[in-house]
Amino acid sequence: MTLSETLVIVVPALPAVAAAAIAVARPDGERSSRWGVGAASVAFAAAIVVAVVVAVSGPVAAVVEGGDGDALVGLHATRVTALVGLLTTGVGLVVQSFAARNLQGDLRERRFFGLASLLTAATTSVAFAATLGLLGAAWIVAGLALAALVTHRSTWRPARRSARRTLRSLWVGDGALLVATLLAVVSIGEVDLRSPAGAAEELANASIPVLGGSVLSVVAVLLTVAGISRSALVPVHQWLPATIAAPTPVSALLHAGVVNGAGVLLVRLAPVFGSSAAATHLAFAAGAVTALYATTVMLVRSDVKGNLAWSTAGQMGFMTVQVAIGALAAALLHVVGHGMYKAALFLGAGNAVTAHLHHEQRPPPHVVAQSVRLGVALLVPAAALWAAYLVFHPHLSTAARVLVTVFAWATAARAADGWLRSAPFRPVPAVATAAFGAAAGVLAYVGGLTAVETFVAPALPAEVAEPVSAALLVATLAAIALVVAAVWLTPGERMRTLRSRVFALVLTSAPVASRLTTRGSSTGVAPVPESRSLRPGVEPATRST
Amino acid sequence: MSNRDNDHRGRSARDTELLADVSRASDIIAPLWPLTSFVAVNPLLGLQHLPFDEATAVARRWLRARTHLTLAAFREAHGRGAITDADLRRAIIEVDSKLASQPSLEIGERTVDAVEIVLLDLLVGPDDKPRETAGDRVGRTDVGTVRTVSQLVAAWCAVFVDEAGVAWPMPRREHGFFRAWRELAQHDRRLRRLAGPTGMQWLAQLPDDPVEALATSLDALDVGDDRVEALREHLGRLPGWAGYARWNDEWALPNHHRPPLHLVDLLAAQVAATAAAAHGPAAPQPPQHQDQGVEELLEQRAAAVLAALGSTSEDASVTSAVRGVLQQVPPPVRKSMWLEAQEGNFRDRLLGLLSRPDPGPVTERPDVQAAFCIDVRSEGLVRHLQACGPYDTFGFAGFFGVPVRWRPLGSPESQPRCPPLLTADHEVAEQPLVPDDALGYLTAQRAAGAGHEAFHAAKGSLGGPFALAEAAGYLLGPAAAARTLAPGLLRRLTGLRTRRVGPPQTRPTVEAEHDDSSGLALEERVSFGEAIVRTMGLTRFARLVVLCGHGSHNVNNPHASSYDCGACGGAPGGPSARVAVAILNDPGVRAGLQERGIVVPDDTRFVAAQHDTVSDEVTVLDREAVPDSHERLVATFERDVAVAGERLARERAGRLPGAPGKVRVRGHDWAQVRPEWGLAGNAAFVVGPRSITAELDLACRVFLHSYDAEGDGDGSALETILTAPLVVGQWISAQYYFSSVDPDQFGAGDKTLHNPVGGIGVVLGEGGDLQVGLPAQAVGVGERRMHEPLRLFAAIQAPLERTEAIIQRNQVLQELIGGKWITVAGRSHGGEHWSIRSPDGTWTTWCPADDGVDHTNTSLEVR
């Protein structure tokens, strides 16, 4: 076994070893944190080396092969999986290091570090698994470890309820993935993820025993269902906001890792997923609905963590749309970027009050005329996008180009508008900085996308067989834009009532809270049961006699 | 209720009566300040007119809270030696003196008196289970419904109070909470499920006015004479939001541009929702009283006592005699006894230390005088500072007697910097020494604001967040990793940045200005100057007088301001010190003081400083304004206080969990949930000259207020101390006490579950009630309690008659001291024995519970 093959194994194995060691040796909380952080550090370092090796000399695999040369079990690092592996181990390291201080003295500190190590091992294995069987097993372990982490504060009722809900929702996807794996294995033997295209071909030729019909499309749809459940898409989205009942580090782990399931699964199995129109359209529908709905909920939430959780659901919807239209590299960029973004925002959630105080004490801004502000905000990002495409020549399908254009423009326009609304300088330098910032942001974004795309190109199919068409994407976006504009901009009492209704609907959309009883101890320090003193004589009070 | 008075004019008698009931019901709710300016407050503030035992009984009933430690926790303290049998015996008699005179019992071969039986019960008797009130009724419905609808209403409170600028604000919130809620609640799916179509229709036809709607709703629930109880049932389900509403009603500045959440609006929404739900399909739960039988518990207690005595006799008369004794000590009284014993133990230790001979004040003129906040954390710094040199020190409320509103450089708004009991009438603005110097700083501030707006504009939109997350993640992720893996690095970088683009040199403009309302006129400044000097008891002046405020630098912490100076309204004390110094150094003021008989020597210079309680570093403020003549003195002070800070940091590191070497980094570590211990451990308030505490290690547990009885012939300074700083000290003490005994109900719960809401507070997890009090992490580590929950003990060195007269003529002191919220000890001068004042006003000479212990050589550390 070469050094690089060993390292591929070390990356997921070391956190798993730490988890097992913590479970068996039961060290105190302090030492558990050191073991967890130590294992994550080495795993992250190994992941960096693996990524470099893969970038320089191509994929690395450490697999046990069967007679036909197909992998039976093992791990496999490509440019795609190495990138995801960097994210999962990096987040595992940062979050555990954060938790070492954040959960210091916590009564369940050891349990946290054991489970966090296990979760890191599982998500990393999902990234690196060379076979569908191993991927499925790691996927299920990740879900269980997550649910166990959500119930960290088990003396507090909302935490227990949230964990139950998480388990129930995740089982929908776990069941689908289990069936998909069994079906595939029964049809073609173990699915070798080193060449998912080959597996797709074999699956296409196999037909379902007894019932008939192509195995491929059934497996593809089942994989989509698994992704929908793991990435908290409508209609199985409710579990994600409920997980705020877990401590901050758990949220950071969850929102940067586990929840990306749909992206990682569907990108890795793109040839299988993408050859079924039913699967891509199902993913597109769930993704688009979630992106619109969850983002709307996010807009009304005044609590930091609720805002972040609903934002994640919306982001997962967007990511799934990216996969569905075949923009695989863009989806990868999103998985990694959003993972880091959300982990950082969750860990820093405590800053909200101070930030608000500081913001109120800032000097009043300069004023930029509205027409100038809107002109800059609308036009500069558009021009910058046009220039960026000229400079970087990203290889994007039409649909992907539409998606990138619309959303990069929207972001840059909103940001430039926000900057100019609270202009820090006189109008001319304010406009100049806004224009420069928007243009630089757009160029960096398209440039970064192109770079990622170029980097992962060898490990990804150039396109999928049955993506959602650009026409459908455009039609969907246009329909959403029209409806939103109509509801938002139409004056009059009826529309006002409608807006109130939408507001109330999205604010009260978390059914968990309807039976909310916040009883129980959030601190984990329940009053000590006095059972000992209930048995008189066991504890003789000799001191006083 | 001043803000609401106008509203109430012209109301019908029925409404006025209802409002009076609302006011009475809201006694169980203490005002809750927003976390931007945390103010420690007794969670039972509204019940303070009742004695402690009665107030806590009310709280247990309506807030479903624990008001004392559990028996197990007390027994654990007993096991550690923090409470001794002698303490318990004394406490038993103190709580119920009848027990001492009861006949002894013959049990087996032993003779046991009643006190001994109660003592055994305290040590081994089973604890009572908390009362479950699930089956109680509110008019036509049950408390379960109240709890559920309260949770629904809480979700609306969270969006109503938002200040941080949510992307889509609550529609119609400018119409007030009740009106906006009633319109939107029509579409609340969860309420609809509870209330059904009939209930929702009923809700729709309610009057628009919250008071009328409340009256109608109470009628619909068939609530009659028990109106206050029904209202309390509702308030007790949302003490956090109700507290925030009380703050809005009674304490918030009227010019605040937030939509105020009024208590009557909140109650109207809660009760209306309950009444609507009572129309609904969900059947009320059947009553299920889970009250543990009093008889059964008594039986078990008697059995436990007998077993502990080794009695095997089946003699029914013995058993019933034991029961007879125990019957006089119902469960809550047992806890009173334990608390009394624990307090007695601490009192003995402190008075023992304070009974050492008073070395008396130093007679020659000192080089440096330094005044520190009365905050318990100052005690440590002062102790270590005095070990470095002959410093003459004072303890004084950290706003240094100047109640002003402080407007930081560039800020459009000013904040009050004084204890909440005072009103700040004057605004003082921070101005740059050289206006042009400030331009760069102000632009940097504006740019930070614009960056914040740009980010949030993109994030808070339907189309913006997606590419934002992709792009920003690659910047935020590595930054988060660096902050987590190398928090010390951030500390160095912050220092570097402050040096390069930090604020310019500024000064507080205390002089009244023509163009705006900022500043104070000369007479006002002279009056303030006089008040500072007289209340502090400054009779002579050193060449250098340092006024040292304190603040706490800590990050990523919604409760950051709870570590700041309470006397400055939950903000750092540096600005207040600067204002006081600017007043006292002003030649015009000095001349005015001379006319009033206070001669400040010309070579006396006042200097402001600020103590960072996380790192224990002290910074001299406006350093450049120190004249050459005083440079050497200031430099020496800086050197000594740096050494003192280092020693204090090392001392504190021993009390904090985690690596002791990193204690100074904690404030910059965003993962840290315990930047410092704050005022945890606080237990006593000493009023007297510093010389009586000068050589003692008080373990950062004691508020020190300077008082010189001789210079205060008419007792006015003492009256100010007892009615203002002592009362604020009691608020702080009670805040810590209750957050420690019930971290879930009176405290803010677990910090890692905190979810900041609206820029003003935190909820736990997904939502619900606004959290009150201090986080669990501020008072303990896991199961270890760092704050020993004791009521405040005040030791006052002043003529007893003077102290007694002041207590007698101030109602607040009569309530607090007579109601056992505070226990007072006093002595007239350093040579006298301490006396303890009993609640009824008699003073008895203090004698320790256990004479065998050398109380003059004890430690005050939390055991």
Side-chain angles (χ1 to χ4, degrees):
Chain A
M1 193 183 281
T2 66
L3 177 66
S4 49
E5 282 172 27
T6 316
L7 285 179
V8 171
I9 295 172
V10 161
V11 178
L14 210 58
V17 170
I22 291 172
V24 173
R26 303 182 68 75
D28 63 12
E30 180 99 33
R31 194 168 301 165
S32 308
S33 75
R34 258 181 275 136
W35 292 5
V37 173
S41 315
V42 179
F44 182 57
I48 293 176
V49 176
V50 167
V52 172
V53 169
V54 168
V56 172
S57 54
V60 180
V63 293
V64 178
E65 288 178 353
D68 56 354
D70 273 1
L72 291 177
V73 69
L75 300 164
H76 176 226
T78 67
R79 290 184 169 195
V80 169
T81 63
L83 210 56
V84 179
L86 276 178
L87 175 71
T88 56
T89 52
V91 167
L93 168 61
V94 170
V95 170
Q96 290 191 61
S97 170
F98 184 94
R101 279 106 72 198
N102 202 247
L103 294 178
Q104 189 165 48
D106 191 291
L107 297 178
R108 304 187 105 192
E109 200 179 353
R110 173 179 55 224
R111 182 179 179 276
F112 171 85
F113 284 99
L115 287 169
S117 298
L118 181 63
L119 187 64
T120 305
T123 47
T124 311
S125 303
V126 169
F128 282 154
T131 63
L132 189 56
L134 180 60
L135 190 154
W139 176 279
I140 289 169
V141 170
L144 294 174
L146 171 69
L149 278 172
V150 168
T151 186
H152 181 84
R153 196 60 77 223
S154 63
T155 48
W156 189 46
R157 222 178 272 181
R160 293 199 300 274
R161 198 174 38 226
S162 160
R164 279 198 302 274
R165 175 175 281 273
T166 303
L167 267 186
R168 272 205 308 273
S169 303
L170 291 187
W171 263 112
V172 175
D174 290 3
L177 185 59
L178 210 59
V179 174
T181 310
L182 287 177
L183 195 58
V185 169
V186 167
S187 316
I188 64 164
E190 184 54 285
V191 179
D192 191 338
L193 294 178
R194 287 179 296 178
S195 60
E201 209 168 297
E202 285 181 62
L203 285 172
N205 296 331
S207 67
I208 299 175
V210 189
L211 296 173
S214 161
V215 173
L216 180 65
S217 53
V218 175
V219 169
V221 168
L222 285 171
L223 290 177
T224 309
V225 171
I228 287 173
S229 134
R230 186 55 62 97
S231 287
L233 304 187
V234 173
V236 233
H237 58 287
Q238 302 272 10
W239 67 271
L240 185 64
T243 57
I244 315 172
T248 301
V250 174
S251 294
L253 267 184
L254 158 65
H255 287 260
V258 189
V259 81
N260 283 310
V264 175
L265 182 71
L266 300 183
V267 168
R268 291 205 65 195
L269 285 150
V272 177
F273 159 75
S275 16
S276 157
T280 52
H281 285 76
L282 174 64
F284 180 76
V289 169
T290 312
L292 177 63
Y293 169 65
T295 308
T296 311
V297 179
M298 182 265 279
L299 296 180
V300 307
R301 296 294 296 234
S302 63
D303 57 320
V304 174
K305 288 184 176 178
N307 185 297
L308 291 177
W310 282 98
S311 153
T312 297
Q315 298 275 1
M316 291 303 115
F318 180 75
M319 174 191 74
T320 309
V321 168
Q322 288 177 317
V323 181
I325 62 166
L328 302 179
L332 262 180
L333 180 82
H334 190 279
V335 165
V336 178
H338 172 259
M340 293 195 288
Y341 172 83
K342 208 40 76 62
L345 292 186
F346 258 107
L347 295 181
N351 193 38
V353 174
T354 318
H356 168 58
L357 183 66
H358 286 173
H359 200 60
E360 279 204 331
Q361 293 183 348
R362 293 209 170 99
H366 294 275
V367 178
V368 175
Q370 194 190 13
S371 55
V372 176
R373 175 164 59 85
L374 289 182
V376 172
L378 296 179
L379 297 180
V380 171
L385 272 167
W386 176 73
Y389 289 140
L390 279 186
V391 174
F392 296 113
H393 300 294
H395 296 281
L396 296 173
S397 66
T398 316
R401 193 172 287 252
V402 168
L403 205 66
V404 168
T405 309
V406 168
F407 288 99
W409 175 82
T411 304
R414 285 290 297 183
D417 186 52
W419 177 270
L420 289 175
R421 269 175 198 277
S422 55
F425 315 113
R426 282 174 218 291
V428 173
V431 165
T433 44
F436 176 80
V442 165
L443 281 163
Y445 177 66
V446 176
L449 177 60
T450 315
V452 169
E453 192 189 32
T454 317
F455 179 76
V456 294
L460 276 184
E463 57 190 15
V464 297
E466 298 281 350
V468 169
S469 69
L472 181 55
L473 176 70
V474 170
T476 310
L477 289 175
I480 291 174
L482 276 176
V483 170
V484 170
V487 172
W488 207 250
L489 301 176
T490 315
E493 189 62 15
R494 273 181 59 194
M495 278 303 172
R496 195 189 64 73
T497 313
L498 182 62
R499 285 195 288 275
S500 290
R501 172 171 236 146
V502 174
F503 184 93
L505 204 69
V506 293
L507 184 76
T508 58
S509 59
V512 183
S514 73
R515 267 159 266 123
L516 200 72
T517 51
T518 46
R519 301 296 297 276
S521 171
S522 76
T523 54
V525 189
V528 183
E530 317 239 332
S531 53
R532 278 193 306 167
S533 45
L534 276 171
R535 279 180 281 124
V538 177
E539 194 183 56
T542 44
R543 289 172 54 92
S544 55
T545 47
Chain B
M1 297 288 262
S2 60
N3 300 357
R4 307 274 301 151
D5 278 348
N6 296 340
D7 255 24
H8 299 168
R9 239 177 274 147
R11 288 203 179 278
S12 68
R14 190 186 84 142
D15 287 0
T16 317
E17 208 175 296
L18 175 57
L19 285 169
D21 280 350
V22 168
S23 168
R24 223 145 56 83
S26 68
D27 274 358
I28 60 167
I29 301 297
L32 176 62
W33 269 256
L35 286 185
T36 43
S37 57
F38 185 96
V39 167
V41 55
N42 180 0
L44 306 188
L45 190 64
L47 298 168
Q48 239 171 217
H49 57 275
L50 300 174
F52 183 84
D53 286 339
E54 287 175 33
T56 46
V58 175
R60 286 193 295 271
R61 163 94 177 87
W62 297 108
L63 302 172
R64 291 157 179 89
R66 285 196 304 274
T67 56
H68 294 70
L69 292 179
T70 57
L71 288 188
F74 278 126
R75 285 170 188 162
E76 198 224 343
H78 179 259
R80 283 196 315 266
I83 308 169
T84 64
D85 290 348
D87 295 327
L88 281 169
R89 287 198 186 92
R90 180 174 64 181
I92 291 167
I93 297 171
E94 222 164 278
V95 170
D96 190 349
S97 53
K98 293 193 305 292
L99 288 167
S101 53
Q102 288 183 4
S104 301
L105 301 174
E106 300 287 334
I107 298 174
E109 271 127 54
R110 296 172 43 197
T111 311
V112 188
D113 63 11
V115 172
E116 210 62 20
I117 287 172
V118 175
L119 175 63
L120 280 176
D121 177 45
L122 292 182
L123 291 172
V124 299
D127 204 348
D128 55 312
K129 300 281 175 295
R131 183 167 177 265
E132 269 294 327
T133 47
D136 285 0
R137 304 196 60 80
V138 179
R140 283 203 297 125
T141 188
D142 64 323
V143 293
T145 311
V146 178
R147 186 176 64 208
T148 308
V149 302
S150 296
Q151 293 302 323
L152 300 187
V153 173
W156 292 100
C157 291
V159 287
F160 181 81
V161 303
D162 175 67
E163 276 184 27
V166 70
W168 184 0
M170 181 180 186
R172 303 231 135 180
R173 68 173 178 162
E174 64 281 1
H175 295 268
F177 181 70
F178 179 71
R179 266 166 233 192
W181 171 80
R182 198 172 60 99
E183 186 178 324
L184 291 163
Q186 287 297 324
H187 315 296
D188 186 332
R189 292 189 298 184
R190 301 172 296 188
L191 184 60
R192 185 169 286 274
R193 211 174 306 142
L194 276 175
T198 341
M200 296 312 273
Q201 262 165 26
W202 179 84
L203 193 63
Q205 54 75 43
L206 268 186
D208 244 1
D209 178 72
V211 182
E212 284 171 34
L214 180 58
T216 315
S217 308
L218 286 167
D219 289 346
L221 282 170
D222 293 339
V223 172
D225 298 337
D226 46 353
R227 202 152 68 174
V228 171
E229 300 207 343
L231 294 173
R232 282 192 169 172
E233 184 60 52
H234 282 85
L235 290 169
R237 291 301 180 178
L238 290 180
W241 287 117
Y244 183 70
R246 265 202 95 162
W247 171 78
N248 265 310
D249 282 346
E250 296 162 30
W251 299 85
L253 291 180
N255 65 350
H256 246 287
H257 46 70
R258 79 189 79 227
L261 175 68
H262 294 303
L263 192 69
V264 72
D265 278 53
L266 176 64
L267 262 178
Q270 271 181 290
V271 179
T274 308
H279 286 86
Q285 297 161 10
Q288 35 171 303
H289 277 284
Q290 295 183 355
D291 251 352
Q292 191 187 12
V294 178
E295 283 302 313
E296 188 192 338
L297 180 68
L298 198 58
E299 210 66 57
Q300 291 171 350
R301 286 167 62 190
V305 168
L306 285 171
L309 283 167
S311 157
T312 49
S313 97
E314 301 288 313
D315 188 349
S317 70
V318 172
T319 315
S320 83
V322 169
R323 257 195 11 222
V325 173
L326 295 181
Q327 200 157 22
Q328 303 168 51
V329 187
V333 175
R334 288 198 291 179
K335 294 192 175 159
S336 300
M337 289 172 170
W338 271 110
L339 177 60
E340 198 72 48
Q342 193 169 15
E343 290 175 345
N345 185 289
F346 175 82
R347 206 151 58 212
D348 285 352
R349 283 188 277 156
L350 179 62
L351 288 183
L353 287 173
L354 291 178
S355 296
R356 288 197 202 171
D358 177 2
V362 187
T363 41
E364 69 267 28
R365 184 188 185 198
D367 277 345
V368 183
Q369 289 167 315
F372 294 85
C373 182
I374 56 172
D375 193 289
V376 299
R377 289 165 289 185
S378 301
E379 185 270 329
L381 187 68
V382 171
R383 169 163 35 94
H384 289 294
L385 179 66
Q386 286 185 322
C388 293
Y391 288 94
D392 194 11
T393 65
F394 298 85
F396 198 63
F399 72 115
F400 297 106
V402 281
V404 295
R405 278 177 289 123
W406 173 251
R407 187 149 62 85
L409 181 60
S411 168
E413 300 200 2
S414 59
Q415 291 175 313
R417 294 290 177 107
C418 61
L421 291 171
L422 303 177
T423 42
D425 294 325
H426 304 281
E427 180 181 290
V428 173
E430 184 183 22
Q431 298 285 356
L433 282 180
V434 186
D436 286 353
D437 280 2
L439 291 180
Y441 171 77
L442 291 179
T443 304
Q445 286 290 304
R446 285 200 186 93
H452 178 96
E453 286 292 337
F455 181 79
H456 284 275
K459 188 168 169 286
S461 64
L462 268 182
F466 306 112
L468 177 74
E470 291 177 354
Y474 292 88
L475 300 174
L476 293 179
R483 290 185 81 174
T484 308
L485 301 174
L489 183 73
L490 190 80
R491 182 173 185 236
R492 283 198 290 280
L493 286 179
T494 317
L496 209 66
R497 199 187 61 200
T498 316
R499 272 196 290 284
R500 303 194 82 184
V501 290
Q505 293 176 355
T506 59
R507 64 183 187 92
T509 46
V510 291
E511 304 86 11
E513 287 176 357
H514 313 291
D515 54 335
D516 93 60
S517 57
S518 158
L520 295 77
L522 180 63
E523 309 88 82
E524 288 167 328
R525 278 178 279 148
V526 173
S527 299
F528 273 131
E530 185 187 5
I532 301 170
V533 171
R534 292 217 193 274
T535 335
M536 219 183 308
L538 274 179
T539 45
R540 53 180 181 170
F541 297 87
R543 287 187 59 217
L544 178 66
V545 184
V546 181
L547 303 186
C548 185
H550 65 95
S552 173
H553 181 277
N554 59 91
V555 296
N556 201 20
N557 181 1
H559 286 82
S561 64
S562 71
Y563 293 104
D564 279 335
C565 181
C568 301
S576 299
R578 294 173 72 190
V579 172
V581 162
I583 290 174
L584 290 168
N585 279 339
D586 179 350
V589 172
R590 296 232 181 144
L593 286 176
Q594 199 147 15
E595 283 168 22
R596 301 189 184 194
I598 297 170
V599 183
V600 182
D602 286 343
D603 66 345
T604 291
R605 183 84 196 171
F606 290 85
V607 163
Q610 181 166 303
H611 170 200
D612 179 359
T613 48
V614 174
S615 64
D616 284 323
E617 282 160 353
V618 175
T619 319
V620 172
L621 305 168
D622 301 321
R623 183 70 174 81
E624 70 290 338
V626 173
D628 288 344
S629 53
H630 289 72
E631 174 58 37
R632 196 186 50 79
L633 278 178
V634 172
T636 314
F637 171 75
E638 281 179 321
R639 197 192 60 217
D640 287 346
V641 85
V643 173
E646 224 161 278
R647 288 180 186 162
L648 177 58
R650 222 172 307 144
E651 173 188 321
R652 288 190 311 112
R655 297 186 196 125
L656 282 159
K662 293 191 176 157
V663 67
R664 293 194 143 173
V665 180
R666 296 178 89 99
H668 292 266
D669 181 359
W670 78 332
Q672 190 52 257
V673 282
R674 288 179 198 88
E676 53 162 314
W677 276 127
L679 293 105
N682 76 81
F685 196 106
V686 173
V687 181
R690 169 64 181 159
S691 61
I692 64 171
T693 50
E695 277 159 25
L696 306 177
D697 179 354
L698 300 177
C700 297
R701 297 192 65 183
V702 179
F703 297 93
L704 295 179
H705 203 300
S706 297
Y707 178 64
D708 174 21
E710 275 171 43
D712 180 40
D714 62 350
S716 60
L718 184 62
E719 187 152 6
T720 307
I721 294 170
L722 296 190
T723 52
L726 178 67
V727 171
V728 171
Q730 193 270 330
W731 286 21
I732 295 172
S733 149
Q735 175 95 83
Y736 272 89
Y737 175 93
F738 286 109
S739 292
S740 185
V741 294
D742 195 338
D744 290 304
Q745 285 301 312
F746 288 131
D750 179 21
K751 212 166 166 46
T752 64
L753 301 177
H754 280 177
N755 178 4
V757 59
I760 55 117
V762 293
V763 294
L764 279 188
E766 219 189 340
D769 196 16
L770 199 61
Q771 295 295 298
V772 302
L774 297 158
Q777 277 89 341
V779 290
V781 184
E783 278 175 324
R784 207 173 102 231
R785 214 172 261 108
M786 273 311 290
H787 179 73
E788 199 178 7
L790 304 175
R791 291 168 292 184
L792 189 64
F793 170 57
I796 303 163
Q797 179 164 322
L800 290 189
E801 317 76 66
R802 187 186 295 173
T803 311
E804 184 61 34
I806 290 171
I807 294 172
Q808 290 296 343
R809 67 170 170 262
N810 286 285
Q811 198 196 344
V812 60
L813 295 178
Q814 276 184 30
E815 285 173 3
L816 288 175
I817 298 168
K820 296 220 82 171
W821 298 88
I822 302 178
T823 302
V824 169
R827 67 175 179 189
S828 296
H829 52 82
E832 201 177 87
H833 269 298
W834 288 98
S835 298
I836 310 263
R837 186 188 188 275
S838 69
D840 57 21
T842 50
W843 295 79
T844 29
T845 307
W846 164 71
C847 59
D850 193 346
D851 285 328
V853 182
D854 176 11
H855 282 284
T856 53
N857 266 320
T858 179
S859 158
L860 278 196
E861 285 288 342
V862 174
R863 285 182 187 167

